[in-house]
Amino acid sequence: MIAAFLLSLATAAIVGPLAGMSLDQAAKQLPARHRIGVVAYSAYSRAADLKNGVYLYPPLGIAAVICGLAAALAGHLQGLPSETLLPLDLGAALAVAHAAATAKAAPINLSQHKLDPADETGLARVFDRFALWNGVRAILQLANFAASLWATVLLGRGL
């Protein structure tokens, strides 16, 4: 039980900040493009998300999937009861779904590099599509965080 608990705790510790970053981007950053314009927003995104962000987001996203899957696997190998396996399995499924949404969102955001930095129409299309997939990703990450906390609480009671 201790392995599943520690892996669930690690998942929550990773997914929580990741969900917060995606939520911040969905609720605050991306809407700002409508006030400052897509050209200015693209300059910010290129300097932040497409520079330092490429060293931050992928390791956290990969770690979230690995920890979520490992927590569920540990729970099954330890023969935990089904009421405890439910949030572990849900978290693992949400981690995979989050990775799939990121696999869709990331190339859209990266496609800014293919456009002229002054192409307002093209940039607007990119950010509209990215906003949709980032919103999906944020919802999946928030749900994964909740499932990870749920599993951690259930597992912690048994220690």
Side-chain angles (χ1 to χ4, degrees), residues 17-106:
L18 199 58
M21 288 181 243
S22 292
L23 185 60
D24 176 69
Q25 195 164 44
K28 182 183 62 110
Q29 294 177 33
L30 280 161
R33 76 188 187 279
H34 298 298
R35 289 184 290 286
I36 65 173
V38 293
V39 171
Y41 184 80
S42 179
Y44 162 76
S45 179
R46 289 174 194 231
D49 295 324
L50 304 185
K51 291 292 183 210
N52 293 343
V54 299
Y55 301 108
L56 175 66
Y57 303 133
L60 285 174
I62 292 166
V65 173
I66 291 170
C67 286
L69 290 172
L73 178 62
H76 283 276
L77 292 175
Q78 293 169 359
L80 296 177
S82 60
E83 61 270 6
T84 306
L85 290 174
L86 176 62
L88 289 170
D89 290 344
L90 182 60
L94 288 164
V96 171
H98 151 253
T102 298
K104 185 70 175 172

Side-chain angles (χ1 to χ4, degrees), residues 1-19:
M1 183 175 302
I2 191 75
F5 171 77
L6 291 174
L7 287 163
S8 181
L9 183 62
T11 302
I14 294 166
V15 174
L18 199 58

